[in-house]
Amino acid sequence: MASSHGSSPVPQSKNSDAFFKKEMDPSKRFRPVQSLPDVCPKEPTGDPSNLCDSPSLVADQHRWTIYHSKVNLPAALNDPRLAKRESDFFTKTWGVDFVDTEVTPSFYLPQITKEHFASYQQEITPREKIHEKCKNIYPPKDTFDRTLLYTHGTVRRCLSSHLLFQIFMKPDFALEDSITFNAVLPWSHFNTAGGKGNRDAASSKLLQEKLSHYLDIVEVNIAHQISLRSEAFFHAMTSQHELQDYLRKTSQAVKLLREKISKIDKVMCEGSLRVLRLTLTRNNCIKAYNKLKLMATVHQTQPTVQLLLSTSEFVAALDLIATTQEVLQQELQGIHSFRHLGSQLCELEKLIDKMMIAEFSTYARNDLNRPLEDDCQILEEERLVSLVFGLLKQRKLNFYEIYGDEMIITAKNIIKQCVVNTVSQIEEIDTEVVVKLADQMRMMNFPQWFDLLKNIFSKFTIFLKRIKATLNVIRSVVLLVLDKNQKSRDVEDPLQKDSAKDSAVDTEVAYLTHEGMFISDAFGEGALPALAADTTSQRNVSPSSEPCSSDSVSEPEGTTDSSSSKEQTSSSVTPGGVEIMISDDVKLTDLELGKLANNIQDLLYNASDICHDRSVKFLMARAKDGFLEKLNSSEFVALSRLMEGFILDTEQICGRKSMSLRGALQSQANRFVNRFHEERKTKLSLLLDNERWKQAEVPAEFQDLVDSVSDGRISLPEKKAAAAEERKPTEFLVVEGQKYATVGTVLLLIRIILEYCQCVDNIPSITTDMLTRLSDLLKYFNSRSCQLVLGAGALQVVGLKTITTKNLALSSRCLQLIVHYIPIIRAHFEARLQPKQFSMLRHFDHITKDYHDHIAEISAKLVAIMDSLFDKLLSKYEVKAPVPSACFRNICKQMAKMHEAIYELLPEEQTQMLFLRINASYKLHLKRQLAHLNVVNDGGPQNGLVMADVDFYTGNLQALKGLNSLDLNMAEIWEQKR
């Protein structure tokens, strides 16, 4: 149907092909509309003039074209980071430091010059001229956008028709649409009215020719497209024939394979599958038989539970109930005859709970109230373990509170029974007159009451040991269950992995049969072992089947072996050697078990607190009438040691300190310390008020006491009557080679001080209180002795006529003796104090300073006495004959009296120091008197008289015992010449 019209001829010659292939002038060129992408697997071969110039989706999909460009060149050139525009755009990617370098020419590429394009230019120049000529001859007549032109010669020019492109090429073209129909067939051209028939006929003919022309254009375009894809069409047809051949051969192979499989199925598989189906049927029969046997066993559960409860086997009964309930829920679910059995077992389980609690209460009562003389630590350990395990199984975790209540009652009964037994053995107490036990106890003397307390403590010690043994068994059961839980968790993960592997193996052969159960189920039910051996010889078909032995009916507790309960038991041994079986059905968490174990341990601590609290009440009941405060030191020390021993025993048994009894002991110790101190202080006060401050003889026992302290230990030696009578008292107390003249009060004070130290050794808890009290006692002695001697209080208190220099020297020496023992006392207390209490030792430093100040005041007092004497005598001194003068004779006489009074009391060094100070006072007064008399050291008669008196004074003073080497330096009495 080629058209004869020449408006859009199809090119046939080579030159025309070249003409239509040449593109338009670039200045007037519009962007052509792309044709549909080529989807053929391969571009057709042929004349290059018939190929499309636009990129191919198949051939060019891996080749870069201008359509892949994504960069705006002006934007690349206008880099804002550069200061100058002359920098090239390579710096955008390679950085501002990029430097142009000369590229070395490649050795593999030839050098291209203009001569290489000479032949191309000669060939293309005529074509370009023809193209320009044609553009002038055939200008474009359409008004639509030139970008819609095709690039394949006259075919594309024809398709540029407005009507053809906008109407016939629309994807929703339909003549049913009135607008489309009117556009294709304009009826205005067929109007015959007004004598226009000839013109209408011409218009109709023209329209027909135009449509025919459109049809020709479409046919040519179709033919052209077919020619472009002819090779792909031929290739597809060839592939279709090959595919049909392959399908035919495949069908024949499949048919042959099916025939072979059918023969194999008949020969090899049908028999085996029939055997498997019969095996499944047999297994179903065995399961039904075992199910009936299991029902018979479950039917015997209640009588068996009653039988077990009659023998107090609670754990076995609970295991049987749990197993039966699990069997009812899993294996026998829906059995009408057992519809009420589950609720009956629940009620029976609640009854067992009450029975176990009552049984545990009875056990606790019997265990705690049995005779304490019994050597057996644990009562019926197997029964206890069974009860505890049953209570844990039922989650009755507060059973330990029952035991705690029984402990309190038993502790009260122990004290009551001890008091009753002791009172019944004392004839002096009439139980008919004195009815109350507390009043009867208060009638005991200290030895009787002390023996009673010792008996109570011993009973409590045995009582705590029994409680500890029992609680250890209970706690060990709890810890064994906890350990079992942890081990079972460690084993669960490998078992789950193994079960997953088994299920994977079973499902691989499940396709072998689809009748009845899968073969994987047959494997799970133990079918394959049944093929090799008779099932009657098997007790269990598989780990998940029920027992099938004939004796399972006659033994109801055999249901515990059923795998439906899925229980695993493990044996463990308690500290007492009792072996217990721990099953996995104790569903307690590790947190609950750990908390229960801690509560049981706290119960042991509570037992210690209970014993201590009852002991404190017993102690306070006896202390109401002030009995404990009236105890002497030895009795209170014995009581303190007894209580300390009991406290240490309970701490060793229970592993924790209980503060109630220790606090009561501390309270009584504080009262004892107060009374002890007040008695000693009162005694010291009475001694000081009656002391006449004369040197006393030192009995031998006091010398022994001092000697024992010198050996490094502070203790009161035992009295030896015979030895004391043989030895006579001495004048001085010898301490580490030094003689101390002392008064009787100080000897007793030393003994009192040692009693304080001894009391600290006996009762360590009162060390700090004793230190404070002893410091107070030493301060009291210092202040009171100062009042009596220096303050002359002894004149009124004792009735002394005067305080002599001998009294002063003796007082100083007594103070020095106490100062000697203060470091020893300090070291004794320091060894018994805690490091944080060392600050209390500063009291001894203050006391030592006070004593030294007191001694210095006494020395100053002795010097002051002589100073007043010198002032009185030397103020009347006159330089005249006879020599020596009466004044100097009197002075030497008083100096001799002073020496006689203090020499035997004070050490020689202190005597010399004292007389040096007295001599200095003497020289001062003499110098003043000589200056008053205008006597100078000029060698004159008055100077001679003075020197004679001074020589007399010097001779007499140095003649005194111990003062012969004293340097008097009498030259200082004269005024120095200026």
Side-chain angles (χ1 to χ4, degrees):
M1 296 179 64
S3 177
S4 60
H5 300 282
S7 60
S8 179
V10 178
Q12 298 294 331
S13 65
K14 181 177 180 181
N15 293 334
S16 62
D17 290 343
F19 169 74
F20 285 108
K21 185 178 179 183
K22 182 64 179 178
E23 295 183 353
M24 298 175 61
D25 186 13
S27 61
K28 300 180 180 180
R29 176 178 172 270
F30 295 93
R31 180 182 178 184
V33 176
Q34 298 182 17
S35 63
L36 294 176
D38 189 0
V39 295
C40 295
K42 186 177 181 181
E43 282 291 323
T45 59
D47 191 356
S49 62
N50 296 328
L51 299 179
C52 181
D53 290 340
S54 60
S56 174
L57 182 63
V58 176
D60 299 335
Q61 59 179 340
H62 300 297
R63 183 170 61 88
W64 189 91
T65 64
I66 60 172
Y67 300 100
H68 292 84
S69 178
K70 299 289 193 303
V71 179
N72 188 357
L73 187 57
L77 296 177
N78 295 331
D79 191 351
R81 295 176 298 177
L82 297 178
K84 298 180 180 180
R85 294 300 181 116
E86 57 269 12
S87 299
D88 56 36
F89 68 93
F90 293 106
T91 58
K92 182 174 180 63
T93 302
W94 295 337
V96 296
D97 296 332
F98 175 76
V99 180
D100 290 333
T101 58
E102 184 179 0
V103 180
T104 305
S106 176
F107 298 102
Y108 301 97
L109 297 178
Q111 293 292 334
I112 305 300
T113 62
K114 291 184 179 181
E115 286 74 17
H116 289 82
F117 298 93
S119 59
Y120 173 78
Q121 290 179 350
Q122 291 176 1
E123 181 183 356
I124 205 66
T125 300
R127 296 181 183 181
E128 183 179 3
K129 293 179 178 179
I130 296 172
H131 174 69
E132 293 295 335
K133 183 179 180 181
C134 289
K135 284 198 303 181
N136 297 328
I137 296 173
Y138 300 100
K141 297 180 179 181
D142 49 353
T143 57
F144 59 91
D145 189 4
R146 284 183 170 272
T147 59
L148 303 178
L149 291 176
Y150 278 33
T151 60
H152 291 291
T154 57
V155 176
R156 296 192 178 186
R157 291 183 178 178
C158 293
L159 290 179
S160 64
S161 174
H162 181 74
L163 182 63
L164 179 62
F165 181 78
Q166 292 191 355
I167 298 178
F168 292 99
M169 292 300 180
K170 290 174 59 177
D172 56 346
F173 175 79
L175 287 175
E176 291 84 356
D177 186 9
S178 60
I179 299 176
T180 304
F181 186 81
N182 291 330
V184 176
L185 299 175
W187 293 103
S188 61
H189 296 182
F190 301 98
N191 188 4
T192 57
K196 298 180 182 180
N198 294 331
R199 191 179 61 180
D200 292 340
S203 299
S204 176
K205 185 177 180 180
L206 180 62
L207 177 62
Q208 184 178 4
E209 291 178 356
K210 187 177 182 180
L211 292 178
S212 299
H213 177 64
Y214 287 166
L215 179 60
D216 293 339
I217 292 174
V218 171
E219 289 177 353
V220 172
N221 192 15
I222 292 174
H224 177 69
Q225 293 296 331
I226 291 174
S227 65
L228 293 177
R229 293 167 175 78
S230 59
E231 185 177 350
F233 291 156
F234 289 126
H235 179 72
M237 294 300 295
T238 304
S239 300
Q240 182 68 20
H241 292 305
E242 293 178 357
L243 182 60
Q244 289 179 357
D245 293 339
Y246 291 153
L247 290 176
R248 190 182 307 107
K249 293 178 181 179
T250 304
S251 177
Q252 293 176 359
V254 170
K255 182 178 180 181
L256 180 60
L257 180 61
R258 286 182 176 178
E259 291 176 355
K260 290 182 180 180
I261 291 175
S262 178
K263 293 178 181 180
I264 292 173
D265 180 56
K266 291 179 180 179
V267 174
M268 301 181 64
C269 297
E270 284 186 359
S272 300
L273 292 177
R274 184 171 179 273
V275 170
L276 291 177
R277 283 192 290 269
L278 291 176
T279 301
L280 292 177
T281 304
R282 181 184 180 185
N283 287 339
N284 290 335
C285 294
I286 292 174
K287 289 181 65 176
Y289 171 71
N290 290 336
K291 193 75 70 175
L292 293 174
K293 290 174 64 177
L294 183 61
M295 291 176 63
T297 303
V298 171
H299 184 66
Q300 296 294 325
T301 298
Q302 286 181 310
T304 306
V305 171
Q306 297 292 340
L307 180 62
L308 293 173
L309 292 180
S310 64
T311 57
S312 299
E313 297 183 12
F314 300 106
V315 178
L318 290 171
D319 289 339
L320 181 57
I321 291 174
T323 304
T324 304
Q325 287 179 336
E326 192 171 355
V327 170
L328 288 175
Q329 294 176 0
Q330 296 182 1
E331 306 294 337
L332 302 178
Q333 188 175 9
I335 303 298
H336 186 70
S337 58
F338 290 150
R339 63 186 183 277
H340 299 303
L341 182 58
S343 59
Q344 293 173 357
L345 292 177
C346 291
E347 293 297 330
L348 192 59
E349 190 173 2
K350 294 179 182 179
L351 177 62
I352 293 175
D353 291 347
K354 296 180 181 179
M355 293 177 64
M356 283 194 300
I357 293 176
E359 186 73 12
F360 186 78
S361 300
T362 304
Y363 175 84
R365 193 177 303 109
N366 295 337
D367 178 51
L368 296 175
N369 291 323
R370 57 195 169 107
L372 295 173
E373 293 78 12
D374 189 4
D375 294 335
C376 180
Q377 291 290 337
I378 304 175
L379 179 66
E380 300 179 6
E381 184 175 356
E382 294 182 358
R383 177 187 172 193
L384 174 62
V385 171
S386 176
L387 283 172
V388 172
F389 188 74
L391 292 169
L392 293 178
K393 189 180 180 71
Q394 296 303 108
R395 302 180 64 86
K396 301 297 180 181
L397 303 183
N398 59 344
F399 64 90
Y400 64 91
E401 297 177 357
I402 300 174
Y403 199 83
D405 296 338
E406 291 295 333
M407 287 192 310
I408 297 175
I409 298 173
T410 305
K412 294 180 181 179
N413 293 335
I414 288 175
I415 293 181
K416 183 177 180 180
Q417 189 63 36
C418 290
V419 173
V420 170
N421 294 339
T422 304
V423 169
S424 63
Q425 297 175 3
I426 300 176
E427 298 179 355
E428 291 81 2
I429 300 177
D430 189 356
T431 57
E432 296 180 357
V433 177
V434 182
V435 180
K436 294 183 178 181
L437 284 177
D439 296 336
Q440 296 173 1
M441 180 188 63
R442 293 189 187 98
M443 297 180 66
M444 300 179 186
N445 55 28
F446 178 76
Q448 295 171 344
W449 180 81
F450 186 78
D451 293 338
L452 173 60
L453 183 61
K454 186 187 296 183
N455 186 26
I456 291 174
F457 284 166
S458 63
K459 298 289 186 183
F460 274 156
T461 302
I462 299 174
F463 176 67
L464 288 176
K465 289 180 179 179
R466 286 187 176 178
I467 292 175
K468 181 179 181 180
T470 303
L471 293 181
N472 281 343
V473 173
I474 298 175
R475 193 166 183 266
S476 65
V477 174
V478 176
L479 294 179
L480 287 174
V481 174
L482 177 60
D483 184 62
K484 175 63 179 175
N485 286 354
Q486 295 175 350
K487 289 181 179 179
S488 62
R489 280 200 309 272
D490 295 338
V491 177
E492 280 180 1
D493 294 339
L495 290 179
Q496 291 177 356
K497 294 179 180 179
D498 294 341
S499 62
K501 292 180 180 179
D502 294 340
S503 62
V505 173
D506 294 341
T507 54
E508 288 180 357
V509 294
Y511 67 91
L512 292 179
T513 179
H514 58 276
E515 296 182 4
M517 298 180 63
F518 286 112
I519 293 181
S520 59
D521 297 333
F523 289 159
E525 296 297 333
L528 295 181
L531 295 176
D534 187 41
T535 54
T536 57
S537 64
Q538 304 285 338
R539 173 175 177 84
N540 294 325
V541 177
S542 71
S544 60
S545 62
E546 283 70 39
C548 57
S549 60
S550 59
D551 57 351
S552 63
V553 176
S554 60
E555 296 181 4
E557 57 270 22
T559 56
T560 58
D561 296 334
S562 173
S563 63
S564 62
S565 64
K566 295 181 178 58
E567 292 182 9
Q568 296 180 358
T569 60
S570 62
S571 61
S572 301
V573 180
T574 62
V578 177
E579 184 175 358
I580 60 174
M581 302 298 293
I582 302 176
S583 62
D584 290 340
D585 60 346
V586 181
K587 304 302 181 183
L588 292 174
T589 63
D590 292 351
L591 181 61
E592 291 175 333
L593 291 172
K595 185 177 180 180
L596 179 59
N598 293 334
N599 290 335
I600 294 172
Q601 184 64 36
D602 292 339
L603 189 61
L604 180 61
Y605 300 153
N606 293 338
S608 175
D609 294 339
I610 290 171
C611 294
H612 282 230
D613 293 341
R614 302 312 305 179
S615 301
V616 169
K617 291 183 179 179
F618 176 79
L619 198 66
M620 293 298 102
R622 188 66 182 91
K624 282 187 177 180
D625 55 354
F627 172 76
L628 298 180
E629 298 178 4
K630 299 176 183 178
L631 299 179
N632 55 35
S633 299
S634 60
E635 291 174 344
F636 187 83
V637 168
L639 175 61
S640 175
R641 288 179 176 176
L642 177 63
M643 295 175 67
E644 285 284 352
F646 176 68
I647 291 172
L648 293 177
D649 291 341
T650 55
E651 290 178 359
Q652 184 177 4
I653 294 172
C654 302
R656 193 186 73 170
K657 295 182 179 181
S658 296
M659 304 306 299
S660 57
L661 186 58
R662 192 182 296 274
L665 175 61
Q666 186 65 38
S667 177
Q668 293 299 324
N670 292 336
R671 296 179 183 178
F672 168 76
V673 169
N674 291 333
R675 183 179 57 82
F676 180 88
H677 177 65
E678 291 300 329
E679 289 179 356
R680 270 65 182 172
K681 189 174 182 179
T682 302
K683 182 179 180 180
L684 179 61
S685 178
L686 293 175
L687 290 173
L688 288 173
D689 290 343
N690 294 306
E691 180 60 56
R692 301 188 67 86
W693 297 100
K694 292 182 179 180
Q695 184 177 358
E697 293 183 344
V698 180
E701 58 176 334
F702 285 98
Q703 184 63 51
D704 294 338
L705 184 64
V706 170
D707 293 340
S708 65
V709 176
S710 300
D711 294 338
R713 64 180 186 277
I714 298 180
S715 61
L716 297 175
E718 298 179 358
K719 294 182 180 181
K720 298 179 181 179
E725 291 177 358
E726 295 176 359
R727 298 170 59 185
K728 295 181 180 180
T730 58
E731 293 183 2
F732 297 96
L733 183 67
V734 180
V735 179
E736 296 181 359
Q738 291 188 12
K739 293 182 179 180
Y740 285 89
T742 181
V743 296
T745 301
V746 174
L747 293 175
L748 293 176
L749 176 60
I750 293 175
R751 184 176 184 87
I752 291 173
I753 292 173
L754 297 183
E755 287 178 355
Y756 275 82
C757 296
Q758 185 70 31
C759 192
V760 168
D761 289 338
N762 296 330
I763 311 175
S765 60
I766 62 175
T767 301
T768 55
D769 291 337
M770 277 296 185
L771 189 151
T772 306
R773 302 302 192 282
L774 180 57
S775 301
D776 180 67
L777 185 71
L778 293 175
K779 291 178 181 179
Y780 175 77
F781 172 76
N782 185 40
S783 61
R784 186 60 178 161
S785 62
C786 182
Q787 294 174 2
L788 293 174
V789 180
L790 280 178
L795 299 179
Q796 292 81 20
V797 177
V798 186
L800 295 180
K801 294 180 181 180
T802 182
I803 301 297
T804 63
T805 56
K806 192 169 186 176
N807 298 138
L808 293 172
L810 187 60
S811 174
S812 175
R813 195 57 175 162
C814 291
L815 292 174
Q816 294 174 22
L817 178 61
I818 301 300
V819 169
H820 173 79
Y821 280 105
I822 287 178
I824 300 175
I825 299 170
R826 176 194 173 100
H828 181 80
F829 277 91
E830 184 176 2
R832 288 151 183 80
L833 287 175
Q834 299 294 331
K836 61 183 180 181
Q837 298 172 338
F838 285 167
S839 59
M840 299 184 66
L841 298 174
R842 68 181 184 276
H843 294 297
F844 291 111
D845 299 333
H846 298 161
I847 292 171
T848 303
K849 182 179 180 301
D850 293 342
Y851 270 71
H852 282 302
D853 293 343
H854 190 183
I855 294 171
E857 289 178 3
I858 292 176
S859 299
K861 183 65 175 178
L862 293 173
V863 174
I865 291 173
M866 297 305 296
D867 184 76
S868 61
L869 178 64
F870 293 149
D871 184 39
K872 180 180 178 182
L873 294 177
L874 290 176
S875 62
K876 300 178 181 179
Y877 173 64
E878 295 180 357
V879 182
K880 62 180 180 177
V883 177
S885 62
C887 176
F888 273 76
R889 289 179 183 273
N890 197 4
I891 289 175
C892 290
K893 181 179 178 181
Q894 295 298 327
M895 294 284 280
K897 288 183 179 180
M898 169 68 74
H899 180 269
E900 182 181 0
I902 67 174
Y903 181 76
E904 295 294 334
L905 302 179
L906 298 178
E908 184 174 345
E909 296 80 5
Q910 295 184 19
T911 304
Q912 291 178 359
M913 292 299 298
L914 180 61
F915 272 91
L916 282 176
R917 294 175 62 186
I918 294 174
N919 181 61
S921 176
Y922 162 75
K923 290 188 292 182
L924 180 63
H925 286 284
L926 179 59
K927 182 178 181 180
R928 189 182 304 159
Q929 184 64 24
L930 291 177
H932 177 69
L933 297 176
N934 294 322
V935 178
V936 296
N937 188 15
D938 54 358
Q942 288 186 338
N943 178 261
L945 293 176
V946 171
M947 292 302 298
D949 287 335
V950 170
D951 291 339
F952 175 76
Y953 166 79
T954 303
N956 279 276
L957 187 58
Q958 292 182 347
L960 297 177
K961 190 175 182 180
L963 302 181
N964 52 354
S965 59
L966 201 64
D967 185 11
L968 300 179
N969 193 11
M970 298 305 296
E972 295 179 354
I973 64 176
W974 304 107
E975 288 286 348
Q976 298 294 329
K977 294 182 179 180
R978 296 179 181 178

